[in-house]
């Protein structure tokens, strides 16, 4: 996939963020990604009164990936409540690794980076088949 429109991907993440459910933290997050078949998928965080049960936006994104046909993530962006680009937490980087691998491109405040730079020496499915 060449010529990725990161602005359009960010706009999709901002739109998803507008539907986040974040009454406890007040920190809505939206994400968007491209799939290897050309689809754009999105997700938003959904909190819960039992804080540990909250769902990160990336969880919703991966659920949408599988609900809409599966595939591999190729490009990813994440935005906060102001629509500014932010990086996924460590837990979510691991989730993205499972479904995008080390070559998944992430939009970060420092520019476009492969997930392998954001999650070096990652543990993944290949470790369970050795």
């Amino acid at each position: 996939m060449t010529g990725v429109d990161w602005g359009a991907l960010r706009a999709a993440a901002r739109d998803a963020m507008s539907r986040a459910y974040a009454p406890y933290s007040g920190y809505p997050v939206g994400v968007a990604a491209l799939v290897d078949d050309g689809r754009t998928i999105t997700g938003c965080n959904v909190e819960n009164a039992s804080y540990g049960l909250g769902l990160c936006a990336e969880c919703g994104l991966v659920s949408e990936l599988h609900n809409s046909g599966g595939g591999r993530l190729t490009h990813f962006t994440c935005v906060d409540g102001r629509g500014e680009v932010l990086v996924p937490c460590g837990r979510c980087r691991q989730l993205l690794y499972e479904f995008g691998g080390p070559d998944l491109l992430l939009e970060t405040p420092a520019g476009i980076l492969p997930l392998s730079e954001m999650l070096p020496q990652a543990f993944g499915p290949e470790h369970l088949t050795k």
Side-chain angles (χ1 to χ4, degrees):
M1 244 184 254
T2 59
V4 170
D5 185 346
W6 288 98
L9 198 59
R10 205 167 31 260
R14 288 179 180 136
D15 183 53
M17 179 270 300
S18 73
R19 290 184 295 281
Y21 178 72
Y24 307 107
S25 71
Y27 197 80
V29 175
V31 296
L34 296 179
V35 181
D36 57 3
D37 63 7
R39 281 178 293 140
T40 299
I41 57 173
T42 61
C44 63
N45 59 323
V46 178
E47 295 180 349
N48 186 285
S50 176
Y51 292 160
L53 297 179
L55 299 174
C56 294
E58 291 83 351
C59 293
L61 180 101
V62 167
S63 181
E64 179 61 21
L65 173 68
H66 283 275
N67 188 45
S68 64
R72 298 293 288 170
L73 303 174
T74 61
H75 300 78
F76 174 87
T77 193
C78 181
V79 299
D80 63 18
R82 297 176 317 231
E84 300 294 323
V85 172
L86 88 139
V87 296
C89 70
R91 174 186 178 269
C92 289
R93 291 177 199 189
Q94 182 66 41
L95 188 62
L96 293 171
Y97 186 86
E98 182 85 12
F99 298 98
D103 297 327
L104 172 62
L105 295 178
L106 278 70
E107 183 179 37
T108 77
I112 308 302
L113 298 173
L115 184 54
S116 60
E117 288 187 34
M118 301 295 296
L119 189 64
Q121 300 185 44
F123 178 85
E126 67 277 5
H127 291 96
L128 300 174
T129 60
K130 290 184 179 179

